[in-house]
Amino acid sequence: MGERMVLEIKGLSFSIDERKILKNIDLKVEKGEFIGLIGPNGAGKSTLLKCINGINKAEGSIKVKGCEISKLDGRKIAREISLMHQDTLITFPFQVIDVVLMGRYPHNGRLKGESLEDYEIARRYMKLTETLELSERKITNVSGGERQRVLFAKTLTQETGIILLDEPTASLDIAYQEQIFDYARELSGNGKTVIAAVHDLKIAARYCNRLILMKDGIILADGKPAEVLTAENLKSAYGVNAIIYRNSITGQMDFYISKRNGEKKGTVHVIGGGGSASGVMRYLFERGYTISSGVLWSGDSDLRFAEVFGIKCIKCDPFCEISEEIYQSNVALIKESEFTIISNMPFGNSNIKNLEAALNAKRLVIIEDEPPEIRDYTEGKALTLYNELKSKAIVTTSARLHEIL
Amino acid sequence: MNRNLSSAEKNNRNAETQGKKLMSILPVMLLLLAASVVVATAVGDVYIPFSDTVRIILKKWGLLKNIEFSYGHEAIIFNVRFPRVITAVLVGGALAASGTAMQGMFRNPMADPGLIGVSSGASLGAVTAVALGLTVKSLYFMPVLAAFGAAITALVIYLLAARDKKVPVLTLVLAGIAVGTFISSVTSMILMSLHQQNQIKEFLFWSIGGLNDRRWEHVKLIALPVIICVLIMMFFSKDLNILLLGEEEAQSLGLDPVKARRGLLFLASAATASAISVGGNISFVGLIVPHIMRLILGPDHRVLLPASFFGGSVFLILCDIIGRVMFPVEVNAGIITSLVGAPYFLYLLIMARKGGNLL
C-alpha cells in the first residue's frame, strides 16, 4: 500500500498577504488515481495545485514518492509533476512543435538540443491531442482551443508520473472537452496520477474515480463521485439546491439545480403519464407549489420525475388496471388539492379512470397542447369524458400555464 | 498510411532543420560580418581598394607574405579603421544581444537595455570624467567611469524594484524612469558647470554615441567583458525560451524565473555598460535589431541570440559607414542609428495600433 502512495500532503496551509487561501489540508493520493478537484470559484483549487508542484511555497509537508518537495530542486520536481495552467498566453511567435518540445526542458541539459527521441515523444502526444497538423504553425496564430490542446500536448511531453490539470477544458468545445478527460482517464489507467481542477461537475462525476470538494480553503468532502456529490454537500459548497439523479437516458449521474425559494404556494394535483406531466411538475415545483400526482404506472418517466423531485405520488404496477383502492386514494388527493391539472396526456383504457377521478377537482385546469383526438386510444370513449371535464375547466397550453398558476 | 509516412518524414526533416538551423545561419552571418568589416575598412576619406584591404588584413595575420603596401595604407587600416570596426562589432553586438535578452526575460518586445537606467548612469560617469579633467590624462578614464556609473545605477534600480526576491517588471520600469531622470538632472548640472567649450563638446560627442577615433585601447577594454557576457547569455538561451511562456509555466518546467531573470539582467547590464562606455549612448540598436532578427528567424533564442549579436555588429558598422561617406561632414554612428531606428520604432507602434501582431 505504501508503495502505491505517490503524493502525501500533511497540514498544508498557504496564505497571500495574511489571507489564508488553504487551511490545513491533508491529502493522500495513490498511483493511478484520477482525482477531480471541485468547488466554487475561489475555493483554492488552483492554489492547491500550485502548492503541489512547489510554485506556491506552502507551509506543511508535501511528499512526492516519499521525498519532501521543498528539498527538491525545480528540475527534479518538473520530472515528477507537470502542471497545465489555466491561462497561459504566449505572445512570441514560436512554432507549435517548439512549444511542445519545451516540455522536454527538465529532462535535458542547458546546452543539449532536442534529440530525435524528444521529437518522437512530442509528436506522439501531438498526434494524441490532434495537434500534429499544427506542428509548423505559429502558436500566436492558432485558435484558443487549439492553443489549449497544444499546451496539453506540452504537459504530456513532460512525461511525469503526476499530472496536474488546472481547468484544462476552459476554452475547448464539447468535443475536445470529452477528449481531454477521456485521455486523462486513459493515462490514469496506465499508472499516471491525474489531479484536475474541474468546473463541470457532470464531467467530473463521469470521468474521475475520486472527487475532492473544496470550499474556502478546506476539503469539504473526499471520496467516490456518488459519495461526494450529495445534495447536502452541494448545498454547503455552492449554496444551491441540487437534485441529483441518474439520468435514465444516459445512465449517468446528472444534476438539476433548483432556484425554488422557501416560499410556499397552494396544492396542486397533476394527472399525467407518458412523460406529459414532467414539464408541468417541474414548473410548479420551481414556483413553490406542493404537488401530488397520480395515478402513474411504474416505469413511466413522469413517475421517475416525481420520485426524484420528492413529489407525493399514487402508483400502480405496470400494465395493470387501476384498482378501486388506488382509485380512491387518487380521488382523495384530488379532493384535497386546490387545483387539479390534466396534462397533455394520451388516453387509454387503463388510465381512463384518472379522467373520472378528475371530476372531483375543486378547480380543474386542462393543458391542451395537441388536439385530444390524436391522443385518444379508446375509440372515443375517453373523449366524451374529456369534453365533459373541459366544460367546467380552464383550458390552456403548457406555454401559457403561468397565466393561471 | 501513406499520409502518415509523409508527415513522419516531414517531421524528421523538421527535427534536423531545427538542430541545424543555427549551423546554417552562422556562416551566413559571419560572411555578412566579414563583408561589412572589409567594406568599412576600405571606405573612407582615403579609399583603399577592397582587394588591397583583404590582402593587408591577411598579411597581418601571416597568411600572405612578401607583399609590400604603402606604409600609409597599412597604418590607416590598422591604427585607424580596423580598431574602429572591431569596436563597432563589439558595441553593436553587445547592445543587440542584451536587447534580445531583455525583451525575452520581460516578455516584452518593447524592452531594451536603457530600461534599467544603464545609459543615464553611464552619462553621469562620462560627464564626471570630463569635468574632473581626467579625459586629458588617459583615454581609459571616460569608459571606465561610464561603465562604473552604469553598473551602480543598474544595481540601485534593481535593489529598489526587488521585493521578496521578486522583481516586478512594472516596478523596475518605474524605478528606472525615476532614477534615470534624477541622474540625468545631476548630469545636466555638472554639464552646466563646465566652462571650457571643448569639455562640453567632448561630452556631447560621447553622449551622441559614435565610433570616431576609437583605438585598440578601447577594443582591449571591452572585448573580454562583452564576449564573456554574451557567451554566458547564450548558455542561458534555452531558459530565455522557457521564460517566454510566463512565470508559472517556467516554474512548472523546473526553471526558477527569478534567478534566471536576475542572472540575465546582470549579464545584459554588464554587456550594455561595456558597450556604451566605449561607444557612447548609441540608441535603438538594442531595440530594432532583435526585432528584425526575430521577424526573420523566429523567437528561439538559441538561434536568435547569436544572430542578434552579429546583426547588431553589422547594423552598427553599416550605420558608421553611412555616417562617414554619405554626408559632407562625418556624422556620428549614434545619430544614424536613431535616424533609422526612430522611424522603424514608429512603424512598429502604428502596426501595433492597427491591431496587427507586434512581432
Side-chain angles (χ1 to χ4, degrees), chain B residues 118-136 138-150 153 183 187 190-191 194 199-200 202-209 214 273 276-281:
Chain B
V118 185
S119 319
S120 57
S123 296
L124 182 59
V127 82
T128 310
V130 173
L132 296 177
L134 296 170
T135 46
V136 194
S138 157
L139 61 73
Y140 283 122
F141 277 114
M142 190 128 137
V144 168
L145 275 178
F148 195 67
T153 314
I183 288 184
T187 306
I190 299 175
L191 199 59
L194 294 178
Q199 277 186 316
I200 295 173
E202 195 176 14
F203 173 75
L204 200 64
F205 231 70
W206 179 88
S207 85
I208 286 169
R214 298 305 190 265
I276 55 181
S277 73
V278 160
N281 277 334

Side-chain angles (χ1 to χ4, degrees), chain A residues 258-304:
Chain A
S258 166
K259 287 175 209 67
R260 176 178 172 151
N261 50 23
E263 191 190 349
K264 285 249 185 283
K265 289 195 178 157
T267 50
V268 184
H269 186 82
V270 180
I271 295 169
S276 64
S278 299
V280 177
M281 288 193 283
R282 192 196 64 78
Y283 169 77
L284 296 170
F285 180 84
E286 288 294 340
R287 295 295 306 269
Y289 285 99
T290 307
I291 312 164
S292 60
S293 181
V295 175
L296 291 169
W297 279 260
S298 297
D300 190 323
S301 63
D302 282 343
L303 177 63
R304 177 100 182 89

Side-chain angles (χ1 to χ4, degrees), chain B residues 287-289 291-292 295 339-349:
Chain B
L287 184 70
I288 61 164
V289 172
H291 263 290
I292 297 169
L295 276 177
L339 220 54
V340 179
Y344 182 74
F345 190 80
L346 285 174
Y347 163 78
L348 285 178
L349 280 180

Side-chain angles (χ1 to χ4, degrees), chain A residues 50 53 55 74-75 78 83 85 88-95 97-98 102-103 105-106 108-112 114 116 119 123 135-136 140 154 158, chain B residues 4 7-8 10-12 14-15 18 103-104 107-109 234-236 238-239 241-242 244-245 248-249 251-255 294 299-300 302 357 359:
Chain A
K50 285 175 198 167
N53 84 336
I55 291 186
R75 257 167 204 266
L83 169 56
H85 291 269
T88 296
L89 191 69
I90 304 172
T91 48
F92 282 68
F94 281 106
Q95 276 191 352
I97 178 86
D98 288 334
M102 286 184 194
Y105 176 82
N108 292 329
R110 281 217 162 70
L111 289 178
K112 201 172 149 277
E114 284 84 18
L116 275 176
Y119 272 86
R123 254 179 275 133
S135 188
E136 281 165 46
T140 43
K154 179 193 125 281
Q158 213 170 323
Chain B
N4 286 344
S7 82
K10 202 168 146 197
N11 279 304
N12 268 329
N14 191 5
Q18 285 292 326
Q103 290 172 11
R107 302 178 74 194
N108 187 338
M234 286 176 192
F235 178 73
F236 284 112
K238 224 175 176 180
D239 297 16
N241 289 347
I242 302 292
L244 284 183
L245 297 182
E248 294 191 336
E249 280 282 350
Q251 278 174 296
S252 302
L253 287 167
L255 173 70
R294 202 177 294 113
D300 188 341
R302 288 172 291 182
N357 201 332
L359 299 163

